[in-house]
Amino acid sequence: MNEAGRVHALLDAGAEPPGGPVLPPVAELLARARTGRRRRRVGLVSLVAIGCALIIAVPFVVIRNGGRPLEEPAVYPSVRSATAAELARGRWDVLPQSPVPGRIGAAAVWTGDEMVVWGGASGTYPGTLRADGVAYEPGTRTWRMLPPSPLGARSGTASVWTGHAMFVWGGYDSLYPLVVSTSALGGIFAPGHATNSGALYDPDRRTWQVLPRSPLLGGLVSARALWTGREVVVVGGRPPGRGNSVDVVAAAYNPTSHSWRMLPPLPPLGLRVSLLDAVGAGDRIYLWLGHLGAGVDMLEYDSRGNVWDSVSGGRDSKVSRGLGGPLWTGDELIVPAAVAYRPTVMGHYESNLYGERLVPGTGDWRAMAHGPLDDRSPLSIWTGGALLSLAQGGGAAVWDPAADTWTRLPDAPVNIDEAVLFGSTIWTGRQVLLWGPQGPPVAFGA
Amino acid sequence: MAGSAAERAFAEFVAARYARLVRTGYLLTGDRGHAEDLVQQALLKTFRSWHRLEAEANAEAYTRTTMLRMALGWRRRRWNGEVPTGALPEAASADHSSTVDTAEVVRRALAGLPPGQRAVLVLRYFEDLSEAEIAETLGCSPGTVKSRCSRALAALRAAGLLVEDSHKSR
């Protein structure tokens, strides 16, 4: 170990404060923050500001909606994808209210006919963990409850559609300290009560089947489930011990044999992993592993060869940039715009961010044009022919991969902030469905 | 605005990063109570600026920088119990395998460093910041960072905490 390594080790050893585990006082801090905010709001200045805001907002709303009620949903073309040009003519649709509350951190899949949502947490912070589920069928604009699940209430599960069933595994069975979503911070690891149980839901038979116990003892944090065509690969971090870094491990569930197997260990990275994201690309899986202060490593898992490999680039290449929820288009990997995963300093907020695209095997990362929402930590959805970008505040834009150009779309007619950050988002082939704990469910489509 | 997206994102940020920030605070202050106080005050400032921060990386950097500046300010105002010296106290022995716990040795070693050197050491080797990032965080020049880091490492070497024959640093 060189001298820098010894200093690292010394500080790591000296950073553990005495007196037991450090638990984040989330509720207390929020209460103090709210109190401070209330105090600042009191007074004439606030009243004047509110008055001004009302004066500005009223005509703005009238202009934006043109004084008309929201339009009825369009008749969607019978295609399984939507191009940027089609989406540029798209519109928002407020969907019927569901029979159960909206939630965050839920398992959500598209079956080909329905959006199936299970678990998560509803209500305002800290919320209530849910063990119920519901399905929405856009064709009939109807909701139906799922039969009772054999799983207990939980949030932050790993879920994926296998072609026949919704796979649901893991998650957290406690809201304390606070783990409601594994995606909110791009896969950041957080303490919690990770579970090691799961089930399959068959929407045709409306039945649940309990999964055998996985070899991932103790559960995983920031778990992701990805379908390779034959198996569900579950990857995540073993619950952290010290700090927020973890060992990343993976296992695969085979629906045919109804059994699990461990995947080979990941190649040694030499750095602590503090952030994870993943995307399935046919029979391969790509992992992005963030090291706080030292960029991002990228790995590829070939499910046919059962081997891991490093993706060219390394920590000094463009792979080192941020993680914006990677996507697979069928030909390319897209890493939407995100703040680079390295420390920045106060007063210097990164802007003019842009996404990147890679044809696997070429090592040739190409920058995407800067999008109108790229600096607002948007949610990105691949529609089969375009990239749909949704941001807090209701903004929407679409990216055309052929022309590398962005088109601004109409703003959402309702508050979609929580749905964008933590809610359930599904591309149906014709429209994107958004359902969160605030406001009604909505759809946007061509 | 109870339960708003910002509050939820902030709550997740706190849940995920609080322990790590307290460890940084502990290295800076040498006292758990001071460290938690420091982190909580910095987090409240972060919450007030949450709408400007957008991303977790920015929020963490903002919180850490606030902690640093508050810690150095506190040190100037009221932490009078520690007297920085050019050399580390004799108690910071390299023989930390026997009677003295490693963590205590490190705490004493850091306590013997001037606050500026201590901050640079923690940012460089615990937070993995570059010299340029440390300079911007502390509001000083990269040259100052380099010299403080060099002096801090020399002090650790002199105290026997680092092996003498290697002079490679990051």
Side-chain angles (χ1 to χ4, degrees):
Chain A
M1 187 187 293
N2 63 13
E3 186 175 82
R6 284 193 291 277
V7 180
H8 267 288
L10 277 175
L11 293 184
D12 270 348
E16 203 61 46
V22 176
L23 295 176
V26 179
E28 182 193 332
L29 271 173
L30 268 183
R32 287 169 65 187
R34 285 174 188 148
T35 304
R37 189 168 50 202
R38 273 197 297 273
R39 283 180 185 151
R40 287 193 299 279
R41 281 180 174 174
V42 172
L44 184 61
V45 174
S46 297
L47 291 173
V48 171
I50 290 167
C52 290
L54 282 173
I55 291 167
I56 294 167
V58 168
F60 174 73
V61 169
V62 170
I63 289 166
R64 206 171 66 154
N65 288 338
R68 297 187 304 274
L70 292 169
E71 295 183 54
E72 287 300 305
V75 178
Y76 298 107
S78 57
V79 293
R80 302 298 295 168
S81 64
T83 64
E86 288 166 337
L87 287 166
R89 299 190 296 273
R91 66 192 68 186
W92 288 94
D93 178 18
V94 178
L95 305 180
Q97 285 287 2
S98 70
V100 291
R103 65 271 315 267
I104 58 178
V109 300
W110 173 247
T111 70
D113 299 308
E114 295 176 316
M115 172 176 73
V116 177
V117 178
W118 181 85
S122 62
T124 54
Y125 173 83
T128 306
L129 286 174
R130 313 287 306 197
D132 57 356
V134 69
Y136 174 74
E137 185 179 352
T140 59
R141 294 175 64 83
T142 55
W143 294 86
R144 61 170 178 163
M145 293 297 295
L146 302 191
S149 160
L151 303 177
R154 62 186 67 183
S155 178
T157 52
S159 62
V160 72
W161 176 245
T162 70
H164 300 287
M166 176 171 72
F167 171 96
V168 180
W169 181 87
Y172 306 96
D173 60 6
S174 166
L175 282 173
Y176 183 80
L178 177 79
V179 179
V180 290
S181 165
T182 56
S183 60
L185 297 174
I188 197 166
F189 297 117
H193 297 83
T195 63
N196 176 18
S197 59
L200 291 168
Y201 173 68
D202 182 335
D204 290 337
R205 297 178 181 171
R206 289 177 55 77
T207 56
W208 288 90
Q209 179 185 18
V210 177
L211 294 173
R213 182 72 63 183
S214 89
L216 300 163
L217 303 177
L220 295 179
V221 292
S222 284
R224 299 284 193 271
L226 306 132
W227 177 240
T228 67
R230 291 179 301 152
E231 296 175 310
V232 176
V233 169
V234 174
V235 60
R238 290 199 190 279
R242 291 182 60 243
N244 295 304
S245 58
V246 295
D247 293 325
V248 176
V249 292
Y253 167 75
N254 187 323
T256 307
S257 63
H258 195 47
S259 62
W260 289 87
R261 69 181 177 93
M262 282 301 289
L263 264 56
L266 273 63
L269 301 171
L271 287 171
R272 295 171 293 184
V273 174
S274 52
L275 181 143
L276 176 149
D277 216 335
V279 69
D283 57 8
R284 289 166 193 264
I285 283 168
Y286 292 91
L287 286 189
W288 282 257
L289 302 166
H291 315 286
L292 192 61
V296 179
D297 271 314
M298 191 175 164
L299 299 177
E300 177 191 74
Y301 172 69
D302 177 352
S303 66
R304 294 191 179 275
N306 192 32
V307 290
W308 292 99
D309 199 4
S310 294
V311 174
S312 64
R315 289 178 202 124
D316 295 328
S317 77
K318 291 176 180 175
V319 176
S320 304
R321 298 190 67 256
L323 298 180
L327 302 163
W328 172 244
T329 70
D331 302 307
E332 286 183 309
L333 293 167
I334 289 181
V335 180
V339 174
Y341 196 59
R342 59 178 173 73
T344 52
V345 292
M346 185 164 68
H348 288 247
Y349 306 111
E350 296 194 37
S351 58
N352 294 318
L353 300 172
Y354 56 89
E356 290 180 292
R357 54 204 293 201
L358 170 73
V359 177
T362 65
D364 179 23
W365 285 93
R366 287 190 293 156
M368 294 161 55
H370 169 71
L373 306 177
D374 277 355
D375 294 340
R376 292 167 54 185
S377 302
L379 169 71
S380 300
I381 302 118
W382 180 250
T383 69
L387 185 74
L388 187 57
S389 183
L390 305 173
Q392 292 182 72
V398 63
W399 176 72
D400 182 342
D404 189 24
T405 53
W406 287 90
T407 304
R408 196 64 201 257
L409 303 173
D411 285 356
V414 297
N415 184 343
I416 61 168
D417 288 3
E418 293 229 334
V420 165
L421 270 177
F422 309 104
S424 304
T425 312
I426 294 293
W427 174 252
T428 71
R430 295 179 178 84
Q431 56 185 169
V432 63
L433 305 179
L434 270 174
W435 188 36
Q438 282 182 334
V442 291
F444 180 86
Chain B
M1 198 169 150
S4 69
E7 285 188 1
R8 209 180 290 277
F10 174 73
E12 288 224 358
F13 169 70
V14 172
R17 288 301 181 210
Y18 183 81
R20 172 78 182 180
L21 291 167
V22 168
R23 289 187 181 98
T24 302
Y26 183 63
L27 286 174
L28 291 171
T29 66
D31 178 90
R32 177 170 177 160
H34 279 318
E36 294 219 39
D37 199 16
L38 188 66
V39 172
Q40 289 178 22
Q41 290 202 34
L43 284 170
L44 289 173
K45 287 178 185 286
T46 300
F47 181 76
R48 286 203 287 274
S49 302
W50 192 258
H51 63 287
R52 291 193 295 122
L53 299 174
E54 292 285 348
E56 178 264 338
N58 278 337
E60 183 159 1
Y62 185 94
T63 308
R64 189 173 48 236
T65 304
T66 306
M67 282 171 57
L68 254 300
R69 294 184 176 174
M70 289 170 69
L72 293 173
W74 283 3
R75 171 77 188 209
R76 280 193 291 272
R77 284 198 301 273
R78 36 179 220 207
W79 290 354
N80 300 317
E82 299 168 2
V83 181
T85 60
L88 294 176
E90 204 169 325
S93 162
D95 182 22
H96 44 87
S97 60
S98 54
T99 55
V100 185
D101 179 65
T102 306
E104 179 59 17
V105 169
V106 175
R107 197 193 67 78
R108 287 189 195 181
L110 290 176
L113 295 175
Q117 289 182 28
R118 185 194 303 186
V120 167
L121 201 69
V122 170
L123 291 178
R124 187 77 184 96
Y125 293 101
F126 188 70
E127 292 289 352
D128 292 319
L129 298 196
S130 68
E131 285 174 354
E133 287 170 326
I134 297 169
E136 224 162 340
T137 301
L138 297 179
C140 62
S141 72
T144 302
V145 171
K146 199 172 283 188
S147 63
R148 282 180 185 173
C149 190
S150 175
R151 283 200 290 272
L153 289 176
L156 294 184
R157 279 188 218 109
L161 287 171
L162 302 173
V163 177
E164 291 287 338
D165 60 359
S166 173
H167 297 285
K168 286 179 274 183
S169 63
R170 285 160 58 111

